[in-house]
Amino acid sequence: MPLHPSPLRILGPGTHLGVKEAEAALVEHYPRLVRLAYLTLPPRLGRHRRVLAAHAAVQRALHGRTRPAPWQGAEGIPAPRSGVRAGDGTHTPAYAGVRLRVVRSALAYERRPRWWPGRAPAPAALRPSLPVVRGLRLFPRAGGMDEFTLDRALADVPAAVRAALGLRLLESLSGDGAQSLLAEAGVPDPADAVRAAAQVAGSDHERVRRMLRSDEFDPCTVQTRPGDLLRRRHRMRAGAAALALLAVAGGLALSAGAGADDAPSQASALRGAVPGGALDPARLVRTPPEQWADTSRVDFSAWPPRGGRTDDRELLGRALGNWAGPRTDVAVTTTPGTAVVPPAQHPQLLFAGDLDGEAVVLFHDGGVRVVRYAEPLSGKGTPALDFARVDDADVTTAAALAVSRTGTSARYLLAPWVAESATRDLLAPGTPARALAVDGDGVTAAVPRPEEGGGCLSWPAMQLRSSERIVEKHAFLVTDLGDLAPVHLTHTPAPGSGAPARQPREATGADALVGLARTACSLRDLRHSGVRAVNNWEFAEQALPGTRSTADWVCTRADTWRGPGRVLLQFVPPAASPSARAEVVSDRRNTALCSRFGQHVVAGTHWRSPTGAWYVLAAGSRAVERIRVAGSVRGVSSGPTLAVRAPQDAPFEVDARLRGGGTLSPAG
């Protein structure tokens, strides 16, 4: 479905010659401008809104206050100060001016005034604009796994970096030209944005350019799907539905002492307000018990309903009613980025049963969320409602859900494809895993939880093994970071270990367990942040001066369900204890560093030798061919590691040069 503008619709009356030239440039190069806008816009908008916003950004490029312009009398389109060459139609002043306004408009979607509420969308996202599409959802055609991974990596970087990547690879601007355009668009540090874009692109620019030119990033050739048909069917009842919700909420607020006994009537009232019978326990989706072994989609949608109360319509009705409109006494928790809204379709029932003094119900909304409802069996205590994102889950990340938690332990509902389960302490890598009991419903015995505070004396994890009926039988590790879905742990071996370059492995081998013992306690900082998976990448090994020992440099990357990642760069020197904590030398959020699209890294720290001498140590990943430190400490190495004698705590800066060109700054 090609999307292109109508010139008559874009132009208003009374246009001048300059605007006509700009319009001609816009219409001629409309697809590439919309692609650039789409790349720059924040992925969190969702593909439908991002497509429409990209077209709006380009179509607004001719709008603006009429004023004299220094080139051809164009209205509202500033002339660029650099990067304009004659000859090619994409290098005319008209095209360059339109491109500048497109980039500026797309960047505005991540700009907020200081006083703007942090959770509210940026002002630009609230601005009414054309085109408007009703009744359909638009999204670009799906690319391959490489394109999908690139899009996820771009979600971790600021809009200025995405714009710089588009200007360099799609628009073929020089580094200076891209910096100049970004500066005119209002980017505070355009040079840093261009450098960060170079890191995202890596050394194979042509490969990334091909991906950016693929269908995945083409908002002009889109696929369509219907919107929410159930909601459209009931659009004439929207006002009545809203009034019903308000009436129920008001009645609950005024009913002092009305506890669980009023929940059935609450659910009954809400059932009429939420369209399509989504709150009807009789219409819950129930996956057949053996479907997981005969499906290509191995995630939560393949889980059958389990537990002793899957046919208890009163319990299920209370759970659904509180999902749609929690009572005032219900404690609601969410992982970051999870929508707390009623179900839009019939939820899937995963579990309903009694555990540890609570009645517990688990739902999957059929898309991106799991929801847990729990109420005390004794009538004393606070009901709880937990929301968590689980989009794009797979064999490992959909392997378990926390179904019951106490102060020091948790019990998990395991996926039907988990054939074996055990527990182990990550701080004791030499201790074998111990078998974990699982009942007939797939619920584990109590598993110790990592301590919230204290000295980090242990770090429990589950070691699970998948059934050979779905994939080649293999073991993997997960650990509890406070969310409903435990976190998948992986390991990328050091260069020269015989593993493929940057290829993560399951963290069950001896080397991976030894590395986790030194870094597991740093996972405390990731609690309750919606982490999906954590990978330890040993990006360098360094010989320590004056000793026969070596130290490891590890990049611990945590990927979240909503997209953004967090990186801890850690220095791991030799230690007497196998669980001695590594030194965190850098902590960076919302970054593509140490992902597939951030494969180059350099870092530095101070280190004291056994003889008492102080050094500045630095190391880079395998593509680093030269490291330099500057400041009060100076030194240069012709390889991926460097060691320089230095006073204790002497300030320094480090940078690196990559093979094949390019420079690299530290991640901190």
Side-chain angles (χ1 to χ4, degrees):
M1 176 181 173
L3 297 180
H4 296 284
S6 165
L8 293 176
R9 187 161 187 171
I10 293 178
L11 287 177
T15 57
H16 293 188
L17 177 61
V19 173
K20 291 182 180 293
E21 292 178 352
E23 181 203 6
L26 185 151
V27 173
E28 180 181 358
H29 302 291
Y30 187 80
R32 66 185 295 165
L33 289 168
V34 177
R35 188 186 292 264
L36 177 62
Y38 183 83
L39 174 62
T40 305
L41 287 163
R44 66 173 175 270
L45 289 175
R47 290 187 295 175
H48 174 77
R49 288 185 61 202
R50 198 172 164 199
V51 166
L52 296 180
H55 286 272
V58 176
Q59 295 181 23
R60 279 200 302 262
L62 294 185
H63 298 174
R65 181 179 179 181
T66 303
R67 59 181 174 86
W71 55 279
Q72 301 296 330
E75 293 180 11
I77 303 175
R81 292 191 289 269
S82 63
V84 180
R85 301 193 305 269
D88 188 341
T90 62
H91 300 291
T92 63
Y95 176 79
V98 170
R99 179 176 59 194
L100 172 60
R101 290 206 64 176
V102 168
V103 172
R104 182 182 292 140
S105 179
L107 290 172
Y109 280 75
E110 286 192 359
R111 289 176 178 160
R112 293 175 171 83
R114 291 184 179 180
W115 49 268
W116 196 257
R119 291 182 176 271
L126 303 176
R127 177 180 176 183
S129 60
L130 295 174
V132 174
V133 174
R134 297 185 182 277
L136 289 175
R137 306 290 293 177
L138 310 179
F139 51 93
R141 296 179 183 274
M145 183 55 65
D146 287 347
E147 288 80 4
F148 172 77
T149 306
L150 174 60
D151 194 40
R152 292 291 292 266
L154 291 174
D156 293 348
V157 301
V161 177
R162 296 191 296 270
L165 187 69
L167 294 172
R168 296 283 281 123
L169 298 186
L170 295 178
E171 295 294 296
S172 300
L173 292 187
S174 66
D176 291 342
Q179 289 185 36
S180 177
L181 190 150
L182 291 173
E184 294 181 60
V187 174
D189 191 349
D192 182 68
V194 172
R195 284 193 299 268
Q199 293 185 29
V200 172
S203 57
D204 194 349
H205 290 188
E206 285 303 318
R207 175 172 169 271
V208 177
R209 180 181 285 112
R210 286 194 298 270
M211 285 191 281
L212 292 179
R213 290 176 174 170
S214 69
D215 290 344
E216 182 89 20
F217 297 93
D218 182 8
C220 283
T221 304
V222 298
Q223 293 179 308
T224 63
R225 291 291 185 272
D228 192 334
L229 296 177
L230 293 175
R231 185 169 297 173
R232 192 192 316 172
R233 178 184 174 189
H234 293 271
R235 64 186 182 275
M236 300 302 295
R237 300 166 55 192
L243 290 174
L245 284 170
L246 289 173
V248 171
L252 289 172
L254 294 173
S255 299
D261 293 340
D262 288 337
S265 60
Q266 174 192 358
S268 177
L270 285 169
R271 197 169 295 128
V274 177
L279 301 185
D280 186 352
R283 302 177 70 178
L284 288 169
V285 175
R286 298 170 183 258
T287 302
E290 291 299 316
Q291 182 170 314
W292 64 269
D294 190 26
T295 180
S296 60
R297 183 180 173 183
V298 186
D299 58 12
F300 291 107
S301 67
W303 282 31
R306 288 170 287 178
R309 300 183 68 175
T310 55
D311 295 322
D312 188 335
R313 296 190 61 173
E314 290 189 1
L315 172 63
L316 299 178
R318 289 195 298 272
L320 291 166
N322 279 289
W323 178 356
R327 301 194 313 264
T328 56
D329 64 330
V330 175
V332 179
T333 63
T334 65
T335 58
T338 307
V340 183
V341 295
Q345 56 188 346
H346 304 307
Q348 175 191 352
L349 179 62
L350 304 180
F351 179 86
D354 296 339
L355 289 171
D356 303 325
E358 292 183 320
V360 180
V361 183
L362 283 175
F363 297 112
H364 180 234
D365 72 353
V368 301
R369 296 179 299 170
V370 290
V371 179
R372 175 184 178 271
Y373 171 76
E375 62 182 29
L377 293 174
S378 64
K380 298 180 180 180
T382 302
L385 189 65
D386 305 317
F387 294 84
R389 280 187 65 165
V390 291
D391 37 330
D392 300 317
D394 56 22
V395 172
T396 55
T397 53
L401 286 174
V403 69
S404 174
R405 277 199 175 100
T406 63
T408 59
S409 65
R411 299 175 69 184
Y412 300 90
L413 180 65
L414 300 182
W417 55 81
V418 173
E420 301 173 19
S421 57
T423 61
R424 68 180 318 133
D425 181 3
L426 296 184
L427 302 191
T431 302
R434 295 175 295 179
L436 175 62
V438 180
D439 67 18
D441 286 324
V443 177
T444 70
V447 178
R449 297 172 59 193
E451 298 177 7
E452 294 278 348
C456 191
L457 303 179
S458 67
W459 196 279
M462 287 193 297
Q463 183 166 307
L464 308 177
R465 187 178 295 276
S466 60
S467 169
E468 59 188 9
R469 295 176 64 183
I470 55 170
V471 293
E472 183 179 350
K473 195 173 183 180
H474 76 289
F476 54 95
L477 287 179
V478 295
T479 191
D480 192 326
L481 291 184
D483 299 318
L484 286 180
V487 175
H488 181 211
L489 302 176
T490 58
H491 168 250
T492 301
S497 63
R502 295 288 293 115
Q503 183 64 48
R505 297 175 171 180
E506 297 300 343
T508 52
D511 291 343
L513 293 173
V514 169
L516 280 171
R518 302 294 302 274
T519 61
C521 289
S522 66
L523 299 178
R524 279 182 168 181
D525 295 336
L526 305 174
R527 291 181 187 273
H528 307 293
S529 57
V531 174
R532 169 195 179 105
V534 174
N535 180 60
N536 263 2
W537 172 31
E538 297 177 9
F539 66 87
E541 183 180 53
Q542 181 170 18
L544 296 176
T547 75
R548 295 183 179 180
S549 303
T550 60
D552 291 327
W553 290 84
V554 176
C555 183
T556 301
R557 178 177 176 84
D559 287 305
T560 63
W561 291 100
R562 65 190 185 280
R566 181 174 175 183
V567 160
L568 302 176
L569 287 180
Q570 305 194 62
F571 176 66
V572 190
S577 169
S579 60
R581 295 186 66 171
E583 175 193 355
V584 176
V585 301
S586 178
D587 181 351
R588 189 163 178 178
R589 303 167 188 259
N590 299 330
T591 177
L593 195 69
C594 302
S595 71
R596 186 171 183 176
F597 295 98
Q599 299 188 22
H600 307 310
V601 61
V602 65
T605 190
H606 293 90
W607 174 76
R608 186 181 183 183
S609 74
T611 63
W614 282 94
Y615 289 82
V616 164
L617 303 181
S621 48
R622 67 175 70 202
V624 170
E625 66 175 8
R626 177 180 177 272
I627 295 179
R628 182 188 65 171
V629 293
S632 62
V633 181
R634 296 182 178 274
V636 177
S637 75
S638 57
T641 61
L642 175 145
V644 181
R645 285 289 297 270
Q648 181 180 0
D649 297 328
F652 69 93
E653 296 178 352
V654 60
D655 59 40
R657 187 176 67 195
L658 302 174
R659 289 196 301 268
T663 59
L664 191 63
S665 298

